[in-house]
Amino acid sequence: MLRNPSHLMRNMWAVKSWGIMHKGAAACWDRQRDQPEKALKSRDEYFDNVEHCRFCDNNWYEGHGGTLGKVGLPPSYERPAPALMGFDGGIHSFCLSRIPESERSKYAMPQDGILRGGIVAKACVAASMNILNMVGKRVPYNLCRNLEWQVCAIKGRLPNQDTAAGIIFANPPGQLQVKPWMDGPAGLAGNCSTPVDLPSVRRSNGSGYTVSDVFYLEVCIFQKICRNGDDIFRLARGEPFHCKFSHRGFLQLRDLLVSGPAAGAPVDLRCSFP
């Protein structure tokens, strides 16, 4: 999927939060983190910063209300905090399970089922779990921030990260539905979509891609930059993963991304988690 220049995964790297990057347009790695209207000296600067973990001590909850979202002030976890990844719903439920039962009502999902008001971030901080949940305007979220956080997690460099616990998946990658992406329309089943052009589809949040799409991309990136990337498909929920980082794989990912997407609308072959 990541190798396919027409796939959605190659178009998710726009400067604008949740936007689509079209062929020939500036990518997020071309712009400064806190001044996205200004260009970096070179795209190599971005990828060098990522690989060498130069922004890992940032507050990855920046933009939330109160002390949680303060610039340069990561939360004070009560204990070393493993990195946690997955879909928002899975992350929220996993973090709730790590909070004492008497405290869970503070972070429970609203009756309408919509996770709003920073409830996922607050639950995971209370559970001492490191997640990425940026909502600020100073450093806008985009896939470049996502890759920064993912590499920081891989190298154990997130604030107060529990490196011994590795990376934990709230939703096991091995349960992701990917076969229909390979089989094409004839093999689609269940809750999987048919191939469509993005302009003909209104995404649930009115953007070019969703939070669920990001998790699929993260899984593909693990396969690319971890020598043991295939191991993630054998993990159970909550079982730790220790990535054996590959410099060569990271450079291959860089070269693949900077080659850009294909012209025209990306093909969306996304399936939702059961």
Side-chain angles (χ1 to χ4, degrees), residues 142-156:
N142 56 38
L143 262 293
C144 284
R145 307 291 79 78
N146 209 93
L147 182 59
E148 288 171 355
W149 186 93
Q150 187 171 357
V151 173
C152 290
I154 284 170
K155 295 193 173 187

Side-chain angles (χ1 to χ4, degrees), residues 53-74:
C53 299
R54 294 201 170 99
F55 297 107
C56 293
D57 59 353
N58 280 208
N59 182 5
W60 298 100
Y61 303 93
E62 186 174 318
H64 284 285
T67 57
L68 177 62
K70 283 192 173 181
V71 175
L73 187 64

Side-chain angles (χ1 to χ4, degrees), residues 12 14-18 28 140-147 209:
M12 294 166 61
V15 177
K16 182 181 178 181
S17 299
W18 306 101
C28 58
Y141 171 83
N142 56 38
L143 262 293
C144 284
R145 307 291 79 78
N146 209 93
L147 182 59
Y209 55 92

Side-chain angles (χ1 to χ4, degrees), residues 65-216:
T67 57
L68 177 62
K70 283 192 173 181
V71 175
L73 187 64
S76 299
Y77 298 103
E78 290 187 359
R79 54 188 180 277
L84 179 65
M85 303 181 75
F87 297 130
D88 271 6
I91 288 174
H92 179 245
S93 64
F94 189 92
C95 288
L96 276 184
S97 72
R98 296 293 187 95
I99 298 172
E101 191 169 353
S102 60
E103 299 290 318
R104 291 178 190 171
S105 61
K106 298 178 184 178
Y107 313 103
M109 182 179 292
Q111 291 185 348
D112 61 8
I114 299 175
L115 295 167
R116 63 166 68 87
I119 194 171
V120 178
K122 293 171 184 175
C124 290
V125 170
S128 291
M129 304 296 296
N130 258 304
I131 67 168
L132 172 58
N133 204 283
M134 299 176 70
V135 296
K137 295 181 180 180
R138 187 189 72 89
V139 179
Y141 171 83
N142 56 38
L143 262 293
C144 284
R145 307 291 79 78
N146 209 93
L147 182 59
E148 288 171 355
W149 186 93
Q150 187 171 357
V151 173
C152 290
I154 284 170
K155 295 193 173 187
R157 298 285 296 277
L158 293 173
N160 201 27
Q161 185 174 350
D162 184 351
T163 55
I167 296 170
I168 294 173
F169 294 97
N171 301 98
Q175 294 183 22
L176 292 175
Q177 299 185 31
V178 295
K179 193 171 186 294
W181 280 342
M182 297 180 287
D183 289 348
L188 293 169
N191 57 354
C192 298
S193 63
T194 55
V196 292
D197 290 335
L198 280 175
S200 66
V201 174
R202 179 70 174 175
R203 309 293 273 185
S204 61
N205 60 358
S207 65
Y209 55 92
T210 68
V211 175
S212 296
D213 296 321
V214 174
F215 184 45
Y216 277 95

